[in-house]
Amino acid sequence: MFKKVKSLVAAVLFSGVVCYAQQVKFVGTADKKYEGNKILLYHRATGYQDSAVIQDGEFVLTVNVNEPTRYFFYSDYERTRGVYVPYSILVTEPGTIKIGADVASFPNSKVSGSKETELYNSSAAVSSKAQKKIIEDLISKYGAELMSNPTPDTSDAKYKQLIEDYEKMSEANQKTEKERLRQFIKSNAASFAAVYLLDVYARTMELTEVETLYTALSPKHKATNSSKSIGNGIEARKVTAVGKIAPDFSQPDTLGTIVKLSDLRGKYVLVDFWASWCGPCRAENPNLVNTFNRYKDKGFTVLSVSLDQPGKKDAWLAAIHNDGLTWTHVSDLKFWKNEAAVLYGIKAIPANLLLDREGKIIAKNLRGDDLNKKLAELFGG
């Protein structure tokens, strides 16, 4: 009885005023061909998870809320087919949020009843339109056949020009996108959508810009976990800046033996944050395998830190085996609460840091050719 009363009278800051913990109900519809499949929900900050089975084309999930936050959704149908991209819904007030679920690809779902999600989606739509325009322009210039060829002749001059054009267009778009995001966050500083966007994209911005935008956010959101995440990320970037000694950490390897980052002193180390469920991570793994094999005998190694979920060790081990990753792997299997990831302010994966023999950070987020070029510079080819 005491616990029930305590829960009911727990006053929290919500939407800028003191109120009581409330509930949000997610009411979803789905194609009946997915009958019996699960829709899964999780909260990154707290580790809370729940699921609901699709019955008669519907599902319902209810959560207690005590502050503006975000919940992530994906379907078991996606997960059992390998990689998936969780879809986030912003919650700032109690009530009902409706989801027209695309079970095969949850990010294509339609959401109503969350004004903050609608505001965020309006920003995402602009970004998506810009990306689509790049692809359309390339198709117009090079043709759909070359663009969609899964095994192109990489030595073909036309293909090389296509890649060059894509990289130039993407670089220009990234500059435009960064400025648009800055303006969106400034113009909507009182919204939780601005907090969410800054939390997601802070790592792509200069630290001074992040600090300025963070200061301008609405005071009513400063106590939320998302806002605290931005603040923690700012501090993490300061201690993991290029030129700093990488903070030490220890985690169990695949056999349960504790491995410390500092144990690898004397070698150039790529600290690689990834997960078995991360599509871009798995796509990058073949490049990393080639790089490791090329430089492993010259004083280079990799320490991979997995953000796999609690109880998912088998998936982690299977990914290591299937992708042929023969270097050291560690994980505490705490998902986004992985202690090393929190320490380093990791908000998205793949992410990595390259350390010199003394453990000093000399580069960040090098992948593919960029990593090879840096190692060639260090080892002389």
Side-chain angles (χ1 to χ4, degrees), residues 77-108:
Y77 178 87
E78 295 173 287
R79 185 174 65 178
T80 57
R81 279 153 182 77
V83 298
Y84 57 94
V85 179
Y87 178 72
S88 64
I89 295 179
L90 307 186
V91 174
T92 58
E93 58 187 13
T96 298
I97 295 176
K98 296 181 179 180
I99 305 172
D102 184 333
V103 178
S105 180
F106 222 91
N108 294 326

Side-chain angles (χ1 to χ4, degrees), residues 334-373:
K334 293 183 180 179
F335 204 21
W336 286 103
K337 297 179 75 175
N338 178 287
E339 292 180 9
V342 173
L343 176 64
Y344 278 70
I346 301 301
K347 303 292 182 64
I349 52 176
N352 64 51
L353 304 91
L354 181 62
L355 316 184
D356 70 9
R357 291 188 174 95
E358 287 71 45
K360 183 172 68 176
I361 301 168
I362 58 175
K364 287 185 173 185
N365 295 319
L366 296 176
R367 285 184 276 277
D369 288 341
D370 290 336
L371 177 59
N372 284 326
K373 288 176 182 177

